[in-house]
Each structure stands twice: as C-alpha cells, then as structure tokens.
Amino acid sequence: MRETKPAHVGWVFELWTARSEAEISWCERIAERIESGVSYLPDGTAQVAGHTGPDDQEQR
C-alpha cells in the first residue's frame, strides 16, 4: 500500500482495523454476559405491563 498511497492512508487503515478488532471483542464479551443470564434491562422492566422480554417468550 505504501507504494501507491501516502503513509497516512495506511495509518488510517491500521486505526480502522484496530478499532474494528476492539469492537468485535467487546461484542463477544457482551454476548457472553447476556447468554449467561445477566440482565441488560433496567431493574423493574420485567414488571412493566405488556413487556415482552425473554421471560415472556419462553412461556409461549
């Protein structure tokens, strides 16, 4: 890439790649937490009338 583009273009690509890798890692960690049963909703949301969260769907 260095032969055809200015150096900063390569640096921006490296930055984009590093950010993407960090976001992928973060998403995987959050997915593991949710799958393990950690609530991602505010306290008391399950008691809201008409709420169709994960607990409601399991009963259907």
Side-chain angles (χ1 to χ4, degrees):
M1 183 181 289
R2 176 81 192 233
E3 296 174 13
T4 60
K5 304 286 183 195
H8 76 278
V9 174
W11 299 337
V12 170
F13 182 76
E14 289 178 25
L15 177 59
W16 175 76
T17 301
R19 286 179 175 163
S20 295
E21 290 171 350
E23 288 183 10
I24 289 167
S25 179
W26 179 84
C27 288
E28 290 171 344
R29 287 192 312 270
I30 297 303
E32 287 174 3
R33 291 179 193 171
I34 292 171
E35 289 171 355
S36 74
V38 172
S39 177
Y40 55 92
L41 300 172
D43 291 339
T45 303
Q47 289 77 32
V48 174
H51 174 67
T52 57
D55 294 337
D56 293 341
Q57 293 176 2
E58 288 177 7
Q59 295 173 354
R60 292 181 184 179

Short mmCIF file of all heavy atoms in Angstrom, two decimals:
data_model
loop_
_atom_site.label_atom_id
_atom_site.label_comp_id
_atom_site.label_asym_id
_atom_site.label_seq_id
_atom_site.Cartn_x
_atom_site.Cartn_y
_atom_site.Cartn_z
N MET A 1 0.83 -1.18 0.00
CA MET A 1 0.00 0.00 0.00
C MET A 1 0.87 1.25 0.00
O MET A 1 0.52 2.26 -0.57
CB MET A 1 -0.95 0.00 1.21
CG MET A 1 -1.88 1.19 1.22
SD MET A 1 -2.98 1.28 2.61
CE MET A 1 -4.09 -0.04 2.25
N ARG A 2 2.01 1.19 0.63
CA ARG A 2 2.89 2.36 0.76
C ARG A 2 3.33 2.89 -0.61
O ARG A 2 3.54 4.08 -0.77
CB ARG A 2 4.10 1.97 1.61
CG ARG A 2 5.15 3.02 1.76
CD ARG A 2 4.75 4.01 2.83
NE ARG A 2 5.62 5.16 2.78
CZ ARG A 2 6.27 5.63 3.80
NH1 ARG A 2 6.16 5.07 4.97
NH2 ARG A 2 7.03 6.68 3.69
N GLU A 3 3.46 2.03 -1.59
CA GLU A 3 3.95 2.46 -2.89
C GLU A 3 2.92 3.27 -3.67
O GLU A 3 3.29 4.08 -4.52
CB GLU A 3 4.36 1.25 -3.72
CG GLU A 3 5.53 0.49 -3.12
CD GLU A 3 5.85 -0.79 -3.85
OE1 GLU A 3 5.33 -0.99 -4.97
OE2 GLU A 3 6.59 -1.61 -3.30
N THR A 4 1.65 3.06 -3.39
CA THR A 4 0.62 3.74 -4.18
C THR A 4 -0.17 4.79 -3.39
O THR A 4 -0.84 5.61 -4.00
CB THR A 4 -0.38 2.72 -4.74
OG1 THR A 4 -0.99 2.03 -3.64
CG2 THR A 4 0.30 1.73 -5.65
N LYS A 5 -0.07 4.78 -2.09
CA LYS A 5 -0.85 5.71 -1.27
C LYS A 5 0.09 6.43 -0.31
O LYS A 5 1.12 5.90 0.08
CB LYS A 5 -1.90 4.97 -0.43
CG LYS A 5 -2.86 4.12 -1.22
CD LYS A 5 -3.87 4.94 -1.95
CE LYS A 5 -4.84 4.02 -2.66
NZ LYS A 5 -5.62 4.68 -3.64
N PRO A 6 -0.28 7.64 0.13
CA PRO A 6 0.51 8.32 1.17
C PRO A 6 0.52 7.51 2.47
O PRO A 6 -0.41 6.73 2.73
CB PRO A 6 -0.22 9.64 1.37
CG PRO A 6 -1.09 9.81 0.17
CD PRO A 6 -1.39 8.44 -0.34
N ALA A 7 1.53 7.68 3.27
CA ALA A 7 1.68 6.90 4.51
C ALA A 7 0.47 7.03 5.42
O ALA A 7 0.04 6.04 6.03
CB ALA A 7 2.93 7.34 5.25
N HIS A 8 -0.11 8.22 5.51
CA HIS A 8 -1.23 8.40 6.44
C HIS A 8 -2.44 7.55 6.06
O HIS A 8 -3.23 7.19 6.92
CB HIS A 8 -1.62 9.88 6.55
CG HIS A 8 -2.39 10.40 5.38
ND1 HIS A 8 -1.78 10.81 4.22
CD2 HIS A 8 -3.73 10.57 5.20
CE1 HIS A 8 -2.70 11.22 3.36
NE2 HIS A 8 -3.90 11.08 3.93
N VAL A 9 -2.58 7.20 4.81
CA VAL A 9 -3.70 6.35 4.40
C VAL A 9 -3.54 4.97 5.04
O VAL A 9 -4.50 4.39 5.55
CB VAL A 9 -3.79 6.26 2.86
CG1 VAL A 9 -4.85 5.25 2.44
CG2 VAL A 9 -4.07 7.62 2.26
N GLY A 10 -2.35 4.46 5.04
CA GLY A 10 -2.07 3.18 5.69
C GLY A 10 -2.31 3.24 7.19
O GLY A 10 -2.83 2.31 7.79
N TRP A 11 -1.94 4.37 7.79
CA TRP A 11 -2.14 4.54 9.23
C TRP A 11 -3.63 4.57 9.58
O TRP A 11 -4.05 3.99 10.58
CB TRP A 11 -1.47 5.82 9.73
CG TRP A 11 0.01 5.86 9.51
CD1 TRP A 11 0.85 4.78 9.36
CD2 TRP A 11 0.81 7.02 9.42
NE1 TRP A 11 2.13 5.22 9.17
CE2 TRP A 11 2.14 6.60 9.20
CE3 TRP A 11 0.55 8.38 9.47
CZ2 TRP A 11 3.20 7.49 9.06
CZ3 TRP A 11 1.59 9.27 9.34
CH2 TRP A 11 2.91 8.83 9.14
N VAL A 12 -4.39 5.26 8.75
CA VAL A 12 -5.84 5.31 8.98
C VAL A 12 -6.44 3.91 8.85
O VAL A 12 -7.31 3.52 9.64
CB VAL A 12 -6.53 6.31 8.01
CG1 VAL A 12 -8.04 6.19 8.09
CG2 VAL A 12 -6.08 7.72 8.30
N PHE A 13 -5.96 3.15 7.88
CA PHE A 13 -6.44 1.78 7.72
C PHE A 13 -6.08 0.94 8.94
O PHE A 13 -6.90 0.15 9.44
CB PHE A 13 -5.85 1.15 6.46
CG PHE A 13 -6.34 -0.24 6.20
CD1 PHE A 13 -7.60 -0.46 5.69
CD2 PHE A 13 -5.53 -1.34 6.48
CE1 PHE A 13 -8.07 -1.75 5.46
CE2 PHE A 13 -5.98 -2.63 6.26
CZ PHE A 13 -7.25 -2.83 5.75
N GLU A 14 -4.87 1.10 9.47
CA GLU A 14 -4.46 0.38 10.69
C GLU A 14 -5.35 0.76 11.87
O GLU A 14 -5.75 -0.10 12.66
CB GLU A 14 -3.01 0.68 11.03
CG GLU A 14 -2.01 0.06 10.09
CD GLU A 14 -0.58 0.44 10.44
OE1 GLU A 14 -0.32 0.77 11.62
OE2 GLU A 14 0.27 0.41 9.53
N LEU A 15 -5.65 2.05 11.99
CA LEU A 15 -6.52 2.52 13.07
C LEU A 15 -7.92 1.91 12.93
O LEU A 15 -8.50 1.43 13.92
CB LEU A 15 -6.60 4.05 13.06
CG LEU A 15 -7.52 4.70 14.08
CD1 LEU A 15 -7.11 4.34 15.50
CD2 LEU A 15 -7.52 6.21 13.87
N TRP A 16 -8.45 1.91 11.72
CA TRP A 16 -9.76 1.33 11.48
C TRP A 16 -9.78 -0.15 11.84
O TRP A 16 -10.71 -0.64 12.47
CB TRP A 16 -10.14 1.54 10.01
CG TRP A 16 -11.42 0.89 9.63
CD1 TRP A 16 -12.68 1.30 9.91
CD2 TRP A 16 -11.56 -0.33 8.90
NE1 TRP A 16 -13.60 0.42 9.40
CE2 TRP A 16 -12.94 -0.60 8.77
CE3 TRP A 16 -10.65 -1.22 8.34
CZ2 TRP A 16 -13.41 -1.71 8.11
CZ3 TRP A 16 -11.13 -2.33 7.67
CH2 TRP A 16 -12.50 -2.57 7.57
N THR A 17 -8.72 -0.86 11.46
CA THR A 17 -8.63 -2.29 11.76
C THR A 17 -8.57 -2.53 13.27
O THR A 17 -9.27 -3.40 13.80
CB THR A 17 -7.38 -2.90 11.09
OG1 THR A 17 -7.48 -2.69 9.68
CG2 THR A 17 -7.25 -4.38 11.37
N ALA A 18 -7.77 -1.74 13.98
CA ALA A 18 -7.65 -1.89 15.44
C ALA A 18 -8.98 -1.60 16.13
O ALA A 18 -9.39 -2.32 17.05
CB ALA A 18 -6.56 -0.98 15.98
N ARG A 19 -9.68 -0.57 15.68
CA ARG A 19 -10.99 -0.25 16.27
C ARG A 19 -12.00 -1.37 16.01
O ARG A 19 -12.76 -1.73 16.90
CB ARG A 19 -11.53 1.06 15.70
CG ARG A 19 -10.84 2.28 16.22
CD ARG A 19 -11.40 3.53 15.60
NE ARG A 19 -10.80 4.72 16.19
CZ ARG A 19 -10.85 5.92 15.65
NH1 ARG A 19 -11.48 6.11 14.50
NH2 ARG A 19 -10.29 6.94 16.24
N SER A 20 -11.97 -1.90 14.81
CA SER A 20 -12.89 -2.99 14.46
C SER A 20 -12.62 -4.22 15.33
O SER A 20 -13.55 -4.87 15.82
CB SER A 20 -12.77 -3.35 12.98
OG SER A 20 -13.18 -2.27 12.19
N GLU A 21 -11.35 -4.55 15.52
CA GLU A 21 -11.00 -5.70 16.36
C GLU A 21 -11.44 -5.49 17.80
O GLU A 21 -11.95 -6.41 18.44
CB GLU A 21 -9.49 -5.96 16.29
CG GLU A 21 -9.04 -6.49 14.94
CD GLU A 21 -7.53 -6.54 14.79
OE1 GLU A 21 -6.81 -5.98 15.65
OE2 GLU A 21 -7.07 -7.12 13.79
N ALA A 22 -11.28 -4.27 18.29
CA ALA A 22 -11.72 -3.96 19.66
C ALA A 22 -13.23 -4.06 19.79
O ALA A 22 -13.74 -4.60 20.78
CB ALA A 22 -11.24 -2.56 20.05
N GLU A 23 -13.97 -3.58 18.79
CA GLU A 23 -15.43 -3.66 18.83
C GLU A 23 -15.91 -5.10 18.73
O GLU A 23 -16.87 -5.48 19.42
CB GLU A 23 -16.03 -2.81 17.72
CG GLU A 23 -15.88 -1.32 17.97
CD GLU A 23 -16.54 -0.46 16.91
OE1 GLU A 23 -17.28 -0.99 16.07
OE2 GLU A 23 -16.31 0.76 16.94
N ILE A 24 -15.26 -5.91 17.93
CA ILE A 24 -15.63 -7.32 17.84
C ILE A 24 -15.43 -8.00 19.18
O ILE A 24 -16.31 -8.73 19.66
CB ILE A 24 -14.81 -8.02 16.74
CG1 ILE A 24 -15.26 -7.55 15.36
CG2 ILE A 24 -14.91 -9.54 16.86
CD1 ILE A 24 -14.33 -7.95 14.23
N SER A 25 -14.30 -7.74 19.81
CA SER A 25 -14.02 -8.32 21.12
C SER A 25 -15.04 -7.88 22.16
O SER A 25 -15.54 -8.68 22.96
CB SER A 25 -12.61 -7.91 21.56
OG SER A 25 -12.31 -8.42 22.81
N TRP A 26 -15.38 -6.60 22.15
CA TRP A 26 -16.38 -6.09 23.09
C TRP A 26 -17.73 -6.76 22.86
O TRP A 26 -18.40 -7.18 23.82
CB TRP A 26 -16.50 -4.57 22.93
CG TRP A 26 -17.51 -3.96 23.83
CD1 TRP A 26 -17.35 -3.58 25.12
CD2 TRP A 26 -18.88 -3.67 23.50
NE1 TRP A 26 -18.52 -3.06 25.62
CE2 TRP A 26 -19.48 -3.11 24.65
CE3 TRP A 26 -19.65 -3.82 22.35
CZ2 TRP A 26 -20.81 -2.69 24.67
CZ3 TRP A 26 -20.98 -3.42 22.39
CH2 TRP A 26 -21.54 -2.87 23.54
N CYS A 27 -18.15 -6.88 21.61
CA CYS A 27 -19.43 -7.51 21.30
C CYS A 27 -19.46 -8.96 21.79
O CYS A 27 -20.47 -9.42 22.32
CB CYS A 27 -19.71 -7.46 19.80
SG CYS A 27 -20.13 -5.82 19.19
N GLU A 28 -18.37 -9.68 21.60
CA GLU A 28 -18.30 -11.06 22.06
C GLU A 28 -18.42 -11.15 23.57
O GLU A 28 -19.13 -12.01 24.10
CB GLU A 28 -17.00 -11.71 21.58
CG GLU A 28 -16.99 -11.95 20.08
CD GLU A 28 -15.63 -12.40 19.55
OE1 GLU A 28 -14.60 -12.25 20.25
OE2 GLU A 28 -15.59 -12.89 18.40
N ARG A 29 -17.76 -10.22 24.30
CA ARG A 29 -17.85 -10.23 25.76
C ARG A 29 -19.27 -9.92 26.23
O ARG A 29 -19.80 -10.57 27.14
CB ARG A 29 -16.87 -9.22 26.37
CG ARG A 29 -15.43 -9.64 26.30
CD ARG A 29 -14.52 -8.77 27.17
NE ARG A 29 -14.73 -7.34 27.02
CZ ARG A 29 -14.11 -6.56 26.14
NH1 ARG A 29 -13.24 -7.08 25.30
NH2 ARG A 29 -14.34 -5.27 26.11
N ILE A 30 -19.91 -8.95 25.60
CA ILE A 30 -21.28 -8.59 25.99
C ILE A 30 -22.24 -9.74 25.67
O ILE A 30 -23.12 -10.07 26.47
CB ILE A 30 -21.72 -7.30 25.29
CG1 ILE A 30 -20.85 -6.12 25.73
CG2 ILE A 30 -23.20 -7.00 25.53
CD1 ILE A 30 -20.83 -5.86 27.22
N ALA A 31 -22.07 -10.38 24.53
CA ALA A 31 -22.93 -11.51 24.17
C ALA A 31 -22.80 -12.64 25.19
O ALA A 31 -23.80 -13.26 25.58
CB ALA A 31 -22.58 -12.01 22.77
N GLU A 32 -21.57 -12.90 25.64
CA GLU A 32 -21.37 -13.94 26.66
C GLU A 32 -22.10 -13.59 27.95
O GLU A 32 -22.71 -14.45 28.59
CB GLU A 32 -19.87 -14.12 26.94
CG GLU A 32 -19.13 -14.82 25.82
CD GLU A 32 -17.63 -14.86 26.05
OE1 GLU A 32 -17.16 -14.40 27.11
OE2 GLU A 32 -16.92 -15.35 25.15
N ARG A 33 -22.05 -12.32 28.34
CA ARG A 33 -22.75 -11.90 29.56
C ARG A 33 -24.25 -12.10 29.42
O ARG A 33 -24.91 -12.62 30.33
CB ARG A 33 -22.46 -10.43 29.86
CG ARG A 33 -21.05 -10.15 30.27
CD ARG A 33 -20.86 -8.68 30.54
NE ARG A 33 -19.44 -8.37 30.63
CZ ARG A 33 -18.97 -7.13 30.69
NH1 ARG A 33 -19.80 -6.10 30.65
NH2 ARG A 33 -17.68 -6.91 30.77
N ILE A 34 -24.80 -11.67 28.30
CA ILE A 34 -26.25 -11.79 28.08
C ILE A 34 -26.64 -13.26 28.05
O ILE A 34 -27.63 -13.66 28.67
CB ILE A 34 -26.66 -11.07 26.79
CG1 ILE A 34 -26.49 -9.56 26.97
CG2 ILE A 34 -28.10 -11.41 26.41
CD1 ILE A 34 -26.65 -8.76 25.70
N GLU A 35 -25.87 -14.09 27.36
CA GLU A 35 -26.18 -15.52 27.28
C GLU A 35 -26.06 -16.21 28.64
O GLU A 35 -26.73 -17.20 28.89
CB GLU A 35 -25.26 -16.19 26.26
CG GLU A 35 -25.60 -15.79 24.83
CD GLU A 35 -24.58 -16.27 23.81
OE1 GLU A 35 -23.54 -16.84 24.20
OE2 GLU A 35 -24.82 -16.06 22.61
N SER A 36 -25.23 -15.67 29.54
CA SER A 36 -25.08 -16.27 30.87
C SER A 36 -26.22 -15.87 31.80
O SER A 36 -26.31 -16.38 32.92
CB SER A 36 -23.74 -15.87 31.50
OG SER A 36 -23.76 -14.53 31.93
N GLY A 37 -27.07 -14.94 31.35
CA GLY A 37 -28.24 -14.59 32.15
C GLY A 37 -28.18 -13.22 32.79
O GLY A 37 -29.11 -12.84 33.50
N VAL A 38 -27.12 -12.46 32.57
CA VAL A 38 -27.04 -11.12 33.14
C VAL A 38 -28.11 -10.26 32.48
O VAL A 38 -28.25 -10.24 31.26
CB VAL A 38 -25.63 -10.51 32.89
CG1 VAL A 38 -25.59 -9.05 33.31
CG2 VAL A 38 -24.58 -11.31 33.62
N SER A 39 -28.87 -9.56 33.30
CA SER A 39 -29.93 -8.71 32.77
C SER A 39 -29.33 -7.49 32.08
O SER A 39 -28.40 -6.87 32.59
CB SER A 39 -30.86 -8.25 33.88
OG SER A 39 -31.84 -7.38 33.35
N TYR A 40 -29.85 -7.16 30.93
CA TYR A 40 -29.41 -5.97 30.22
C TYR A 40 -30.50 -4.90 30.21
O TYR A 40 -30.37 -3.88 29.55
CB TYR A 40 -28.99 -6.32 28.78
CG TYR A 40 -30.05 -7.04 27.98
CD1 TYR A 40 -30.95 -6.34 27.21
CD2 TYR A 40 -30.13 -8.42 28.02
CE1 TYR A 40 -31.93 -7.00 26.49
CE2 TYR A 40 -31.10 -9.09 27.30
CZ TYR A 40 -31.99 -8.37 26.53
OH TYR A 40 -32.96 -9.02 25.82
N LEU A 41 -31.55 -5.15 30.97
CA LEU A 41 -32.67 -4.21 31.08
C LEU A 41 -32.62 -3.53 32.44
O LEU A 41 -32.11 -4.08 33.41
CB LEU A 41 -33.99 -4.95 30.92
CG LEU A 41 -34.20 -5.67 29.59
CD1 LEU A 41 -35.45 -6.52 29.64
CD2 LEU A 41 -34.26 -4.69 28.44
N PRO A 42 -33.17 -2.33 32.55
CA PRO A 42 -33.23 -1.64 33.84
C PRO A 42 -34.04 -2.46 34.86
O PRO A 42 -34.96 -3.19 34.48
CB PRO A 42 -33.94 -0.32 33.53
CG PRO A 42 -33.85 -0.15 32.06
CD PRO A 42 -33.75 -1.52 31.48
N ASP A 43 -33.69 -2.33 36.13
CA ASP A 43 -34.44 -3.02 37.19
C ASP A 43 -35.91 -2.66 37.09
O ASP A 43 -36.28 -1.51 36.87
CB ASP A 43 -33.92 -2.62 38.57
CG ASP A 43 -32.53 -3.17 38.84
OD1 ASP A 43 -32.15 -4.15 38.16
OD2 ASP A 43 -31.84 -2.62 39.71
N GLY A 44 -36.77 -3.66 37.25
CA GLY A 44 -38.20 -3.44 37.24
C GLY A 44 -38.84 -3.52 35.87
O GLY A 44 -40.05 -3.47 35.76
N THR A 45 -38.07 -3.64 34.82
CA THR A 45 -38.64 -3.67 33.48
C THR A 45 -39.53 -4.89 33.28
O THR A 45 -40.54 -4.81 32.61
CB THR A 45 -37.53 -3.66 32.41
OG1 THR A 45 -36.73 -2.50 32.62
CG2 THR A 45 -38.09 -3.62 31.01
N ALA A 46 -39.16 -6.00 33.88
CA ALA A 46 -39.94 -7.23 33.70
C ALA A 46 -41.35 -7.09 34.26
O ALA A 46 -42.26 -7.80 33.85
CB ALA A 46 -39.23 -8.40 34.36
N GLN A 47 -41.56 -6.16 35.19
CA GLN A 47 -42.88 -5.99 35.79
C GLN A 47 -43.75 -5.00 35.01
O GLN A 47 -44.89 -4.77 35.36
CB GLN A 47 -42.75 -5.51 37.24
CG GLN A 47 -42.23 -6.57 38.20
CD GLN A 47 -40.72 -6.78 38.09
OE1 GLN A 47 -39.99 -5.85 37.80
NE2 GLN A 47 -40.26 -7.99 38.30
N VAL A 48 -43.23 -4.40 33.97
CA VAL A 48 -43.99 -3.42 33.19
C VAL A 48 -45.08 -4.14 32.41
O VAL A 48 -44.83 -5.15 31.75
CB VAL A 48 -43.07 -2.64 32.23
CG1 VAL A 48 -43.88 -1.73 31.32
CG2 VAL A 48 -42.05 -1.84 33.02
N ALA A 49 -46.32 -3.63 32.48
CA ALA A 49 -47.43 -4.26 31.78
C ALA A 49 -47.16 -4.29 30.28
O ALA A 49 -46.74 -3.30 29.69
CB ALA A 49 -48.71 -3.48 32.06
N GLY A 50 -47.36 -5.44 29.67
CA GLY A 50 -47.17 -5.58 28.24
C GLY A 50 -45.75 -5.86 27.81
O GLY A 50 -45.47 -5.99 26.63
N HIS A 51 -44.84 -5.96 28.78
CA HIS A 51 -43.43 -6.23 28.43
C HIS A 51 -43.32 -7.62 27.82
O HIS A 51 -43.84 -8.58 28.35
CB HIS A 51 -42.55 -6.13 29.67
CG HIS A 51 -41.13 -6.54 29.42
ND1 HIS A 51 -40.29 -5.80 28.61
CD2 HIS A 51 -40.41 -7.60 29.85
CE1 HIS A 51 -39.11 -6.39 28.56
NE2 HIS A 51 -39.17 -7.48 29.31
N THR A 52 -42.66 -7.71 26.69
CA THR A 52 -42.48 -9.00 26.03
C THR A 52 -40.99 -9.31 25.95
O THR A 52 -40.41 -9.42 24.88
CB THR A 52 -43.08 -8.98 24.62
OG1 THR A 52 -42.47 -7.92 23.88
CG2 THR A 52 -44.59 -8.80 24.66
N GLY A 53 -40.38 -9.42 27.11
CA GLY A 53 -38.95 -9.72 27.18
C GLY A 53 -38.69 -11.21 27.04
O GLY A 53 -39.60 -12.00 26.78
N PRO A 54 -37.46 -11.62 27.25
CA PRO A 54 -37.06 -13.03 27.11
C PRO A 54 -37.89 -13.98 27.98
O PRO A 54 -38.24 -15.06 27.54
CB PRO A 54 -35.61 -13.04 27.53
CG PRO A 54 -35.14 -11.64 27.40
CD PRO A 54 -36.33 -10.77 27.61
N ASP A 55 -38.25 -13.55 29.20
CA ASP A 55 -39.02 -14.43 30.09
C ASP A 55 -40.41 -14.70 29.52
O ASP A 55 -40.92 -15.80 29.60
CB ASP A 55 -39.15 -13.82 31.48
CG ASP A 55 -37.80 -13.72 32.18
OD1 ASP A 55 -36.88 -14.49 31.80
OD2 ASP A 55 -37.67 -12.88 33.09
N ASP A 56 -41.02 -13.68 28.92
CA ASP A 56 -42.35 -13.84 28.34
C ASP A 56 -42.31 -14.78 27.12
O ASP A 56 -43.21 -15.57 26.92
CB ASP A 56 -42.92 -12.50 27.88
CG ASP A 56 -43.20 -11.56 29.06
OD1 ASP A 56 -43.32 -12.06 30.19
OD2 ASP A 56 -43.29 -10.35 28.83
N GLN A 57 -41.28 -14.71 26.33
CA GLN A 57 -41.18 -15.52 25.12
C GLN A 57 -40.96 -17.00 25.43
O GLN A 57 -41.44 -17.86 24.72
CB GLN A 57 -40.06 -15.01 24.23
CG GLN A 57 -40.37 -13.64 23.66
CD GLN A 57 -39.24 -13.06 22.84
OE1 GLN A 57 -38.21 -13.70 22.66
NE2 GLN A 57 -39.42 -11.85 22.37
N GLU A 58 -40.28 -17.29 26.54
CA GLU A 58 -40.05 -18.70 26.91
C GLU A 58 -41.34 -19.41 27.29
O GLU A 58 -41.49 -20.58 27.10
CB GLU A 58 -39.07 -18.77 28.10
CG GLU A 58 -37.65 -18.41 27.70
CD GLU A 58 -36.71 -18.40 28.89
OE1 GLU A 58 -37.14 -18.81 29.99
OE2 GLU A 58 -35.55 -17.99 28.73
N GLN A 59 -42.32 -18.66 27.80
CA GLN A 59 -43.58 -19.26 28.24
C GLN A 59 -44.50 -19.55 27.08
O GLN A 59 -45.43 -20.30 27.21
CB GLN A 59 -44.26 -18.33 29.23
CG GLN A 59 -43.46 -18.16 30.52
CD GLN A 59 -44.07 -17.10 31.42
OE1 GLN A 59 -45.03 -16.42 31.05
NE2 GLN A 59 -43.51 -16.94 32.61
N ARG A 60 -44.27 -18.95 25.93
CA ARG A 60 -45.17 -19.11 24.79
C ARG A 60 -45.02 -20.42 24.13
O ARG A 60 -44.16 -21.13 24.05
CB ARG A 60 -44.94 -18.00 23.77
CG ARG A 60 -45.37 -16.67 24.32
CD ARG A 60 -45.17 -15.59 23.30
NE ARG A 60 -45.52 -14.33 23.92
CZ ARG A 60 -45.44 -13.19 23.32
NH1 ARG A 60 -45.02 -13.10 22.10
NH2 ARG A 60 -45.79 -12.09 23.93
#
